[in-house]
């Protein structure tokens, strides 16, 4: 069920910042919905050990500069963030929320499914953490030892994941830790851009993932979803460090390669949540 149809493809000005824009009414009618596809979060044998949790790395910057000087008002996509978290929470895994700066997580709140009580209720459960997250460098210093309580790392999508995370030394440290200690890495849509933080390291060479296609990013300004084009292609750069992106379009596809679990778009949020919850439960059951 899409939001009400509109033919207006002009990006909507964001009055909080100079030359910044939200998506056009038309693009919102095509790509957002008042209800999500949340379903199947039934885990009769959830994890009850109380130790294992997931480190969520959120976007802490809202404005993404595009090629024509306009800024896209972005952040983390609510469906891409909350649906995977909902499944993992129902499966018994808690979250710690962190950002690079320790400043609040920014959301594309215009994509919040406004009539979805479960999703909005879950947002309320973690709202305080989203507003007052941990600083990622502090997490690295205090919680990423050999005896860490994190079973995995989650980087949600939304174009906010393109800002800062791909160049972050702290994200690099977390990813290298996750690979070295065989932890889960969960991401979708534009979130995998954070994987670029490892730089020239070959640790991800040969991994297969789902991600939002560069070709589709290039088309979104045509309908006013973004006010301009991206200044770089994250998929191309991921391929440059050895990733293979298995999807060419967006269909809600997910993929698991070893302990890397990925999805192609907001359409994959529910399926990625189920995949991740099932994989983590299997892991803890195996001891």
């Amino acid at each position: 069920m899409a939001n009400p149809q509109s033919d207006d493809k002009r990006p909507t000005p964001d009055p909080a910042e100079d030359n910044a824009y939200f998506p056009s009414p038309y693009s919102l009618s095509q790509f957002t919905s008042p209800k999500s596809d949340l379903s199947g979060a039934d885990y009769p044998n959830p994890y009850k050990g109380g130790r294992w949790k997931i480190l969520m790395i959120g976007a802490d910057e809202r404005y993404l500069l595009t090629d024509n000087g306009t800024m896209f008002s972005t952040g983390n996509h609510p469906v891409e963030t909350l649906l995977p978290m909902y499944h993992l929470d129902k499966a018994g895994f808690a979250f710690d929320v962190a950002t690079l700066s320790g400043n609040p997580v920014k959301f594309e709140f215009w994509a919040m499914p406004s009539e979805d009580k479960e999703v909005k209720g879950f947002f309320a459960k973690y709202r305080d953490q989203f507003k007052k997250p941990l600083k990622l460098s502090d997490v690295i210093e205090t919680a990423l030892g050999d005896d860490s309580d994190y079973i995995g790392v989650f980087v949600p999508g939304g174009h906010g994941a393109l800002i800062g995370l791909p160049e972050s030394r702290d994200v690099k440290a977390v990813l290298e830790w996750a690979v070295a200690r065989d932890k889960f890495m969960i991401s979708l849509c534009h979130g995998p851009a954070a994987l670029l933080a490892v730089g020239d390291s070959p640790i991800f060479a040969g991994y297969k993932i789902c991600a939002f296609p560069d070709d589709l990013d290039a088309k979104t300004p045509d309908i006013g979803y973004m006010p301009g084009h991206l200044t770089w292609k994250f998929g191309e750069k991921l391929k440059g460090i050895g990733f293979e992106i298995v999807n060419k379009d967006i269909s809600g596809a997910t993929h698991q390669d070893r302990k890397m679990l990925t999805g192609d778009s907001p359409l994959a949020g529910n399926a990625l949540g189920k995949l991740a919850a099932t994989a983590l439960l299997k892991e803890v059951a195996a001891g």
Side-chain angles (χ1 to χ4, degrees):
M1 179 182 170
N3 276 322
Q5 178 71 34
S6 169
D7 295 327
D8 188 350
K9 296 181 181 178
R10 295 171 299 174
T12 302
D14 174 357
E17 181 54 87
D18 172 57
N19 209 19
Y21 295 86
F22 302 118
S24 67
Y26 174 79
S27 63
L28 289 182
S29 75
Q30 298 299 301
F31 290 134
T32 65
S33 173
K35 290 269 182 78
S36 77
D37 65 342
L38 178 66
S39 64
D42 307 311
Y43 303 99
N45 298 301
Y47 171 63
K48 294 178 180 174
R51 176 188 176 188
W52 295 118
K53 54 188 177 178
I54 298 152
L55 176 63
M56 183 275 219
I57 303 176
D60 61 2
E61 172 58 56
R62 179 168 304 289
Y63 295 107
L64 178 65
L65 192 64
T66 70
D67 67 336
N68 61 11
T70 59
M71 291 194 289
F72 180 38
S73 185
T74 181
N76 283 134
H77 193 292
V79 171
E80 295 173 24
T81 306
L82 300 172
L83 267 61
M85 288 181 69
Y86 185 95
H87 279 272
L88 288 159
D89 179 87
K90 289 291 186 186
F93 300 98
F95 284 84
D96 281 348
V97 176
T99 61
L100 296 183
S101 62
N103 291 329
V105 178
K106 307 302 189 295
F107 279 97
E108 297 174 329
F109 218 68
W110 37 262
M112 178 68 80
S114 57
E115 296 171 16
D116 200 315
K117 291 181 181 177
E118 285 296 314
V119 174
K120 291 178 76 176
F122 187 76
F123 177 80
K125 177 176 180 176
Y126 274 93
R127 190 176 190 274
D128 288 349
Q129 280 206 55
F130 292 143
K131 301 300 182 188
K132 293 183 178 179
L134 303 169
K135 187 174 182 179
L136 191 58
S137 58
D138 293 341
V139 174
I140 293 166
E141 208 170 289
T142 61
L144 291 194
D146 290 327
D147 58 349
S148 175
D149 293 333
Y150 295 123
I151 193 171
V153 180
F154 173 46
V155 183
H159 284 81
L162 300 177
I163 312 170
L165 300 184
E167 303 84 29
S168 168
R169 291 182 181 179
D170 290 333
V171 173
K172 179 181 182 181
V174 172
L175 294 172
E176 289 176 341
W177 166 84
V179 172
R181 288 171 177 77
D182 200 29
K183 302 293 185 177
F184 286 93
M185 292 167 285
I186 307 161
S187 192
L188 70 168
C189 202
H190 291 84
L195 302 170
L196 292 167
V198 300
D200 295 331
S201 168
I203 60 172
F204 292 135
Y207 271 83
K208 294 181 179 182
I209 60 169
C210 286
F212 195 84
D214 288 339
D215 289 349
L216 282 185
D217 259 331
K219 294 174 182 174
T220 57
D222 297 343
I223 59 168
Y225 185 82
M226 288 194 296
H229 288 89
L230 296 177
T231 56
W232 58 285
K233 298 177 179 179
F234 83 98
E236 192 176 277
K237 290 200 171 189
L238 285 168
K239 292 171 188 173
I241 63 168
F243 282 100
E244 179 183 339
I245 298 176
V246 298
N247 61 296
K248 298 285 190 284
D249 55 8
I250 55 170
S251 62
T254 61
H255 190 76
Q256 177 169 359
D257 185 345
R258 287 155 277 187
K259 289 194 171 175
M260 187 168 290
L261 315 176
T262 51
D264 65 11
S265 67
L267 303 175
N270 192 67
L272 182 64
K274 291 170 80 167
L275 176 68
T278 303
L280 268 65
L281 286 172
K282 186 177 177 183
E283 175 86 359
V284 295

